Amino acid sequence: MNEVINLLNNRISLANSYISTLSEEDLQAKSNPEVWSKKEILGHLIDSAQSNIRRMVVGQYQENAHIIYHQNEWVKAADYQNYDSKDLLGFWVLLNKHFCQILSNLPLENYKTITNWGSATTPMLKDDLVTLEFVANDYVRHLDHHLRQIGVTI
């Protein structure tokens, strides 16, 4: 997990530096009403961090924990477009530091613990069952994808 923690700390620094320079207009801009703004993408990353933190914690004491995330509903419910931008960025930074803390405390024997991140509305598939180690590594991949959408150079 040390590699994941190092990557996350790097992303925290890069994203915080870049996003804090953007104007409110840049953060709220949308190419069309159906796509997320940079603020909404950052909000989605907050929701993703919360969901994955829960997976990492619950997965340590409950095998096959089923923790799902409906991204559009969460982003809509939080109304990230109207969230204070500094608070939003600060919240994202703190959640990712917290995620690093949890990863640093994850016992080696729990890396291979299985969790279920499949949809609640579809039958369970083989790909819905993943290890906590996979969740941590996939979190960085997912994070990088969305940070690039915001304009962060990785």
Side-chain angles (χ1 to χ4, degrees):
M1 287 298 158
N2 286 336
E3 182 180 345
V4 173
I5 292 167
N6 289 337
L7 289 170
L8 284 174
N9 281 318
N10 172 264
R11 299 327 187 250
I12 292 167
S13 178
L14 290 172
N16 192 30
S17 295
Y18 176 75
I19 295 169
S20 64
T21 67
L22 297 176
S23 70
E24 191 63 29
E25 292 76 29
D26 287 337
L27 290 168
Q28 288 186 330
K30 290 182 170 220
S31 59
N32 76 61
E34 301 303 314
V35 300
W36 289 339
S37 67
K38 288 177 171 76
K39 280 179 87 167
E40 289 169 319
I41 292 169
L42 187 58
H44 163 65
L45 291 174
I46 285 169
D47 298 338
S48 176
Q50 291 181 94
S51 294
N52 284 296
I53 286 167
R54 183 162 168 76
R55 287 181 180 119
M56 300 306 286
V57 172
V58 175
Q60 291 185 58
Y61 62 85
Q62 183 181 336
E63 181 88 17
N64 294 315
H66 191 196
I67 298 167
I68 59 172
Y69 164 56
H70 297 284
Q71 62 185 22
N72 292 323
E73 289 82 353
W74 281 51
V75 169
K76 182 180 178 183
D79 190 23
Y80 290 119
Q81 187 72 345
N82 293 303
Y83 215 97
D84 179 87
S85 294
K86 287 183 182 183
D87 288 348
L88 192 66
L89 181 57
F91 189 25
W92 178 81
V93 167
L94 288 174
L95 277 172
N96 279 276
K97 287 181 178 183
H98 183 62
F99 192 71
C100 289
Q101 181 68 25
I102 289 167
L103 294 178
S104 71
N105 289 314
L106 183 68
L108 185 60
E109 63 268 16
N110 288 353
Y111 285 23
K112 300 301 179 197
T113 301
I114 301 294
T115 191
N116 179 350
W117 66 359
S119 169
T121 60
T122 60
M124 188 173 72
L125 304 171
K126 183 179 133 205
D127 292 343
D128 293 343
L129 300 176
V130 295
T131 65
L132 294 181
E133 183 176 28
F134 180 88
V135 170
N137 284 295
D138 187 70
Y139 179 75
V140 175
R141 182 203 56 76
H142 176 256
L143 181 64
D144 284 354
H145 166 74
H146 287 299
L147 289 178
R148 285 185 192 101
Q149 285 181 318
I150 292 173
V152 177
T153 303
I154 309 280

